Structure formats: structure tokens, C-alpha cells
Amino acid sequence: MDKKTSTGPIVVYTIVLALAGAALLGGGMAVALGVRQTWLMAVVVFGVLGIPIAIKLLSGAMRQRRVAVSDQVRQNAAGIIEQWSLSGTDWSDYLATSRSEMNQDQVAKPIGIAVIVMGVAIWQLLPEYDWLHSVLYGLAVAVPVAVIVWYCYGVFIRSRMQLLESAREGKVIFTEDKVLVNDLLIELTGMKRFVSVAKIDEEKKPMTMALTVSSKAGDRETNQIYRIPVAEGKEARAHYLVNKYYEDAAELRERMERIGDLADIAD
């Protein structure tokens, strides 16, 4: 039986990070609009100090859990259903493609978030201010948020690439609910995670298994796409694994869809 690894600290630090982010955004906007109240400055200070501290604690807790779970995967030989090795051009091409895709996301995501934040800020301010001041205040809020997202995503990219580049060649381990690509741990289930899309991408070299892991809470869904390189001569096994992971998640997908439908009815 696999030993369970606690996710308690991760949940706590995530809540603290969310509260600090909300404090910085809301308090900063209020101060920018000229609200002069002492407690607001305390809220802003909490946000400024709380975000880096929470990120530090959260990343440390996630790192400890990742190492513990990865060790469990490697040591539980009976739980491994497939194991591949990649080297040479295939592995270097996979790393180059992964880095390029993540760099594109680092530019696109902050811009998208900045546009949304600015739009919401302008919509909230227009009843009280003219267009010029609303846009300026919107920019004052959106730009710092975009910079923070860009920086955090850059840290995420460097961390993920370091996990992939932890060895000169690629080693991929498959279990019933996890995939390990060198030191990069991909969890397919747990904490309301499930495989929502699974397919083979033959356009890039090497061929990759593209697994979309979704997490749903009510009517809100987040998605993360993982591309797993396919070793030469393992194409048939890759098709089998893609179908297996998708079919294994069928019951959970249906359950999450029912929960989402109930949330829509409640609204």
C-alpha cells in the first residue's frame, strides 16, 4: 500500500497567498483612489510582505511533497506499469520544444490577465471618474499584477525545466495515477484532479502524449496540459496508455460534470 503524503501545509500556504494577493490588490486600489485610512495601509503592507513569504513557504512545502512522492514512485517497482528512456536528439528536441512553449505562455498569460484586471477596474471606476482617469487607474492596477504574474510564471518555468534537465537523458515512469519524467511529477488524480483530454501529438518530434489534467470546483475548472515524450518504438504502448488514463478517469469526469450542473442549477 502506498504511503499517503500530507497536503495540509500546501493548502494552508495557498490560502495565505490568496489572502495576501487579495489584500494587496484591494488595499492598493483603495489607497490609489485616495482613501486615507490607517487600517488600509496595514492591509497593503500585509499583501506586500505576505506574498513573497507565502510563495516561499508554499514552494518549499510543494518541493518536499514532490520529492517524497517521486521517491515512492521509483521505489514501488510493483506499481510501475511502463518505463521508457530517451536520449540524444529525441530528448534534446523535447526539451527545446517544452522550453519554447513555456516561454510563449510566459508572455501570453500576463497580458491576458492584465487586460481582464484593467477591464474590471475601468468598469468599477467609470461611474465616479471620466474615461482618462479610469484608464490610468486601471493601468496602475493592471501593470503591477501583470509584472507579478510574469515573474512568478518565469520562476515556474525555470523550476519545471530544472526538473526535466535533472539528468542528461530522459527517463519516464508510468504508474496507475502518476507519471514521472526525470524529476517532474505529474499527478493524474487526487484533490479533484482528473484527465479530461488525452491524445497523441504526432506533429512534433519526438511524438508526445498530451494529457490535460483538470481540477473542478463547482462551475470553475482549471486545466494543465502535460506533454510526455514517447520513446522510439513505444508508439503502440503510448496509444494504450493514453486510452487507459482517459478511460480510468471516466467516472470522475462524470461526477465532476454532475457537480458543475448542480452548481449551475443553484445559480
Side-chain angles (χ1 to χ4, degrees):
M1 182 183 296
D2 290 343
K3 188 169 66 174
K4 297 295 183 182
T5 305
S6 174
T7 57
I10 294 176
V11 173
V12 172
Y13 298 148
T14 301
I15 293 173
V16 173
L17 178 60
L19 290 174
L24 179 59
L25 184 60
M29 188 170 181
V31 171
L33 292 175
V35 180
R36 305 299 180 190
Q37 294 189 13
T38 305
W39 66 269
L40 268 179
M41 292 306 299
V43 169
V44 174
V45 170
F46 168 72
V48 171
L49 298 178
I51 288 177
I53 293 173
I55 289 176
K56 179 74 172 176
L57 294 172
L58 179 60
S59 60
M62 292 178 66
R63 188 183 306 110
Q64 290 178 359
R65 183 179 181 279
R66 175 185 56 76
V67 171
V69 175
S70 298
D71 287 343
Q72 291 175 15
V73 170
R74 295 187 181 97
Q75 293 167 9
N76 184 18
I80 296 175
I81 58 178
E82 190 78 16
Q83 197 165 188
W84 299 340
S85 292
L86 295 93
S87 58
T89 304
D90 283 347
W91 181 241
S92 60
D93 287 349
Y94 169 73
L95 291 177
T97 301
S98 298
R99 187 180 292 104
S100 174
E101 290 178 345
M102 283 189 265
N103 286 337
Q104 290 175 10
D105 285 344
Q106 186 184 8
V107 174
K109 289 182 183 298
I111 292 175
I113 291 173
V115 169
I116 294 173
V117 170
M118 185 173 175
V120 172
I122 292 174
W123 176 66
Q124 293 284 342
L125 294 168
L126 270 179
E128 300 292 334
Y129 296 87
D130 58 30
W131 267 102
L132 178 59
H133 286 88
S134 297
V135 170
L136 291 176
Y137 281 132
L139 281 172
V141 175
V143 171
V145 170
V147 171
I148 291 172
V149 172
W150 175 84
Y151 173 78
C152 291
Y153 204 80
V155 173
F156 165 76
I157 290 174
R158 288 192 295 275
S159 174
R160 174 168 287 194
M161 291 307 301
Q162 286 173 359
L163 296 175
L164 290 173
E165 296 172 339
S166 59
R168 292 189 176 184
E169 63 177 21
K171 187 173 184 180
V172 188
I173 300 175
F174 298 90
T175 69
E176 290 290 335
D177 57 356
K178 297 177 183 68
V179 180
L180 194 59
V181 186
N182 281 355
D183 287 338
L184 176 64
L185 176 67
I186 303 170
E187 297 186 84
L188 307 178
T189 62
M191 295 186 72
K192 296 186 178 181
R193 282 189 295 261
F194 59 96
V195 177
S196 57
V197 180
K199 61 183 181 180
I200 297 291
D201 186 354
E202 300 182 359
E203 295 182 1
K204 299 180 177 65
K205 296 299 179 184
M207 177 191 299
T208 58
M209 299 166 53
L211 302 179
T212 301
V213 179
S214 301
S215 179
K216 195 165 188 176
D219 60 348
R220 205 173 160 195
E221 183 173 306
T222 58
N223 302 295
Q224 176 68 57
I225 300 175
Y226 296 98
R227 297 189 180 276
I228 303 162
V230 178
E232 187 176 356
K234 297 294 185 179
E235 292 81 6
R237 291 296 292 173
H239 282 280
Y240 162 77
L241 289 168
V242 160
N243 292 331
K244 169 183 169 52
Y245 287 137
Y246 186 75
E247 292 170 1
D248 287 351
E251 182 179 347
L252 185 55
R253 275 198 309 273
E254 292 175 3
R255 193 187 313 158
M256 290 297 104
E257 288 173 2
R258 286 198 298 271
I259 292 173
D261 292 341
L262 290 175
D264 291 339
I265 293 173
D267 291 341

